[in-house]
Amino acid sequence: MLFEDKTVIVTGAGRNIGEGIARAFADEGARVAVVDLIAERTDGVAGSIAEAHPAAAAGFACDVTDSGQVQRMVDAVVK
């Protein structure tokens, strides 16, 4: 478990490569912040990851081009 007791933020994790990266981190023991512009995507991926790894993922909708949204997302992940 390379990332046990670590938290990672994966942007673009609502689908495709980002989703795969988020799943790989969870498989290696990380708690994963699944970040995407569309909340439904983040919730779906985080829920799917949590089925295999309970409490390992949470979804966050965020436009990473907006520094205010990014700061709020990071603050929420840190909490």
Side-chain angles (χ1 to χ4, degrees):
M1 294 292 213
L2 293 173
F3 295 96
E4 191 169 6
D5 298 323
K6 305 288 185 198
T7 300
V8 298
I9 296 172
V10 181
T11 61
R15 60 187 178 152
N16 302 326
I17 294 170
E19 179 179 355
I21 291 167
R23 291 180 184 284
F25 273 119
D27 289 343
E28 288 296 332
R31 291 177 303 274
V32 181
V34 176
V35 179
D36 197 272
L37 184 60
I38 300 171
E40 291 79 16
R41 289 183 189 163
T42 67
D43 294 342
V45 172
S48 177
I49 291 171
E51 288 176 11
H53 308 285
F60 298 89
C62 178
D63 179 350
V64 297
T65 67
D66 181 324
S67 62
Q69 284 189 37
V70 171
Q71 186 61 58
R72 287 187 294 278
M73 179 269 298
V74 170
D75 290 344
V77 171
V78 170
K79 279 185 181 179

